[in-house]
Amino acid sequence: MKIGIFFGGQSREREISFAGGRTVYDNLDKTLFEAIPIFVDSLGHFILLDWQFIYKGTIRDFYPPAALLVKKTHNFQIYVESVDATESPIEPLIDQIGKIIEPHEFKSLIDFAFLALHGPYGEDGNIQGLLEWYGIPYSGSGILASAIGINKVAQKRLMKQAGFAGPNTKILSKSYLKNTDINLLFNDLQHHLGLPFVVKAPSQGSSIGVSVVSRLSDLESAIHKSLFITTLWSENWLNYSAEDKYNWIRDLVDIRTGIGLPVRINETVIAHPSDLLEYINNIFITGSSKSLSIEAVETEDQVLFESFIAGKEFSCIVLQDNEGQAIALPPTEIVKGNQLFDYRSKYLPGMSRKVTPIDLPTEQIEKIRAEAVRLFDSLGFNVYARIDGFVTPEGEVFLNDPNTTSGMLPSSFFFHQAAEIGLNPSQFLTYIIRTSLAQRHKTGKNSLTIAHLLQSLDQQILNLKTQPLKKIKVAVIMGGYSSERHISVESGRNIYEKLASSTKYEPIPVFLTGNDEQHELYLIPINVMLKDNADDIKEKVLHLAKPRHELLTKISTETKHITQQFASDTGFTPKLISYQELANLVDEVFIALHGRPGEDGALQRHLEKHGLTYNGSGIKSSSITINKFETNKILRENGILVANHRLVYSEDWLKKAQTITEIEEHFNYPFIAKPADDGCSSAVKKIKNRAELEAFANMMFRETVEFLPEETKILQLKYNEEFPQKRYFLIEDLIDKNGAKHFLEITGGMLTKFDDQTIVYEVFEPSETLATGEVLSLEEKFLAGEGQNITPARFSILPTEQALISQLVRATLEKAAKVLQVEGYCRIDAFVRIYEDLRVETVIIEINSLPGMTPATCIFHQSALNGHKPYEFIDSILTYGQSRISLQVGA
């Protein structure tokens, strides 16, 4: 069956939709379905997307293609709505990434539409109506339920009529809000809603346009946030540096936290961030205005105000079974670090916790489930929905923001709760497709075609259960105990999901914890693997004696008819195993660990002892590349450029004054300080003065896990930011332009193969990495829609120079890998200086022998350019590990 995956879209949630569409594309069972990626751009074009673009980090990384755009003064990345079609016609832009298709062509391309779109145009009935018109069955709820599901104002009214408890609300129009006195408004809202209260944009998701207001001074900015309006004062703008102005514009036009584009200033509509910057400059420099009101063209007509609910926050997925009956899965409690479950908390691993089921007495959890099912039925939802809500300390259940399309990132509630009944992501997607077909069949539209699809799919599902394929068993080891453990889990899950939907491999998730002296390995079931982060998984595996929650057992029984149809063996209890038991269970290992252990050779030593093949470099190379100081020393000795560097030990800090003097004699501020054996941007800081150096050292050498308050403030550490405790750390020069005409940061990946018995390096085109802050952040590396990575890197606008420079850079990366005897695959981070005479300097920063393998990581963009789909890339890595052992045995 050909499944058209609709993703991207016109809403502010398009980046999460893009990442969710990639998850669906990767996880569809390849024995049942052929995935057809249909990217919807922000102008509403349907694009049959070339597969390699699915693995870009963000939409702006590939569309509109930068090479085809008219050059502007400022180097902003843009969405296609910022393109002037008179300068750059849209059709050639689309031709670079795929083929534009019209709705009447859908039926010749796909049998079924899987909707991974979010927000307006995707969840509001628009796309559902279009698909029904052209006779294409689709996933999820129908037209009416979708229209209700997107509109918070309509929801509130219908929920009140149906007798659901809810917060006090007030709905006010934009025109009223623009003309009312803010003091009177605050007093009125305080009287009706109490303090604090919540301000919402009625038609947005992912916490976009949401604020919590506790005082008068916060109200106006909260309303503006929900209406996507901002006010800029000339006295502020004229005091900004050029960099400050650039950053202000960049943040303003961010579709998630800013107001997006196009914008309206008075009657002028501006679509490009460079034009906006120049317009503001002209207005303020001429003194023609003291302030500017900047408003998004795509705005809201109303603002929703709600009383703040103090209590436990939860999210509950509701499913329909084969008989059309709604069943609520175990609700998940959201434990967050601040009042709002915001964009960062929702989508970045480790920023919040998901506790399933919610920590309440069973009867209260059952009340949540019953209310969620009642709301699902009352609003006419179909197939599945995500119902959010709160439980007050008094036990009252408030439901709000029902969603007909849940986020589909790997760690989303959608997959998280399905795992609690024994369905892995691939199986759950099959369930959604099959149930959606059954629901569309009930409408009587296109019923003959849909009946045929249903019958065929049911037969294929039955065949898979009765005649299972023989597959290679691969242990995917994830987790660890370093500051990189959360990203390791994300990588491990991604590897698991790519292999689980294949016809060749059977992945078995294994969680590693313990310490350097004693590794502990646990076989983990799917429901544990899909916990929110490594710490949640660790909590589960360390409490094996704790019985499974009675409600989870009950719900598993209630949904047994679903799991029996779509899943095979369903276990729910982790199991502690030895390395020998692992060797008896699997054919090979994929190490998805980052930092220690994993990249240091320690795990490899255990695996080799028990005859297990594995991915990546061997023991010797791993033990060197884990240490950034030793790595740089060896590279320098072999004529490769690296930063000037030194180690600072905890014992040095006992003579702090002397150590600081020595550092300042050899390094100029600013310089970089970071752990010598950790990655993922953990505790990498640009040190600009002595106070920051002292704060960094005090944090690194602290005796307790808890952060030091004053140092946290000086270093501006974020909530839940990883900052490990170490015995030593690394200082290195801040790499700068040094007179070059062009200077950029890159990350380059590679893959090794055997040609006869010789190792051959396939070095990919590097990605250009654009950091928005002082150093590349964790979010920019791994959070969907955050980082800006241009692949291939923009070394030159001239094709011949681009090819030459790329060749020189890749040659240096390859030389570094060979010097350090890296095998399998790796990622190398570097800075590149390009001089007027085309002299090229590549300065190596670090080498990752087990690079991050999260869905949006650069190495997948790069391998795609060489024709490797992510599964094929992973298969090549595993195949190399097998071949290496075979050659060693033969030798």
Side-chain angles (χ1 to χ4, degrees), residues 405-425:
T405 301
S406 178
M408 293 183 187
L409 270 68
S411 59
S412 70
F413 297 109
F414 184 72
F415 297 122
H416 180 88
Q417 293 180 19
E420 292 293 355
I421 64 170
L423 295 179
N424 70 28

Side-chain angles (χ1 to χ4, degrees), residues 558-664:
E558 290 176 3
T559 56
K560 194 173 182 179
H561 56 293
I562 295 174
T563 52
Q564 283 179 337
Q565 183 177 5
F566 295 95
S568 48
D569 298 329
T570 54
F572 298 103
T573 305
K575 180 184 178 184
L576 178 65
I577 61 168
S578 66
Y579 279 106
Q580 184 57 58
E581 288 172 313
L582 181 68
N584 294 337
L585 179 67
V586 303
D587 301 303
E588 56 187 297
V589 168
F590 195 104
I591 307 170
L593 299 169
H594 307 310
R596 295 182 187 272
E599 287 190 83
D600 60 354
L603 178 58
Q604 289 85 343
R605 191 171 285 107
H606 285 289
L607 297 177
E608 287 191 14
K609 180 181 176 181
H610 292 90
L612 281 168
T613 63
Y614 56 84
N615 57 303
S617 294
I619 297 168
K620 182 181 177 182
S621 177
S622 299
S623 64
I624 294 170
T625 54
I626 189 65
N627 188 313
K628 296 181 179 71
F629 182 84
E630 288 298 321
T631 296
N632 286 358
K633 181 181 173 184
I634 293 170
L635 292 176
R636 179 183 282 116
E637 290 169 353
N638 284 272
I640 296 172
L641 291 176
V642 296
N644 177 42
H645 65 287
R646 69 161 282 175
L647 292 175
V648 179
Y649 291 88
S650 57
E651 49 265 35
D652 296 335
W653 213 241
L654 298 174
K655 301 172 287 185
K656 183 169 71 171
Q658 178 184 334
T659 301
I660 290 174
T661 300
E662 291 173 358
I663 291 170
E664 291 176 343

Side-chain angles (χ1 to χ4, degrees), residues 541-552:
V541 301
L542 295 183
H543 294 86
L544 289 174
K546 188 176 179 180
R548 191 165 189 247
H549 196 289
E550 62 179 349
L551 187 69
L552 296 179

Side-chain angles (χ1 to χ4, degrees), residues 483 682-685 695-696 699-700 702 705 707 715 717 721-725:
S483 60
S682 298
V684 178
K685 296 294 174 184
F696 187 92
M699 276 292 291
M700 193 63 68
R702 70 191 188 278
V705 174
F707 281 12
L715 297 173
L717 302 181
E721 184 172 340
E722 291 290 341
F723 205 108
Q725 297 165 268

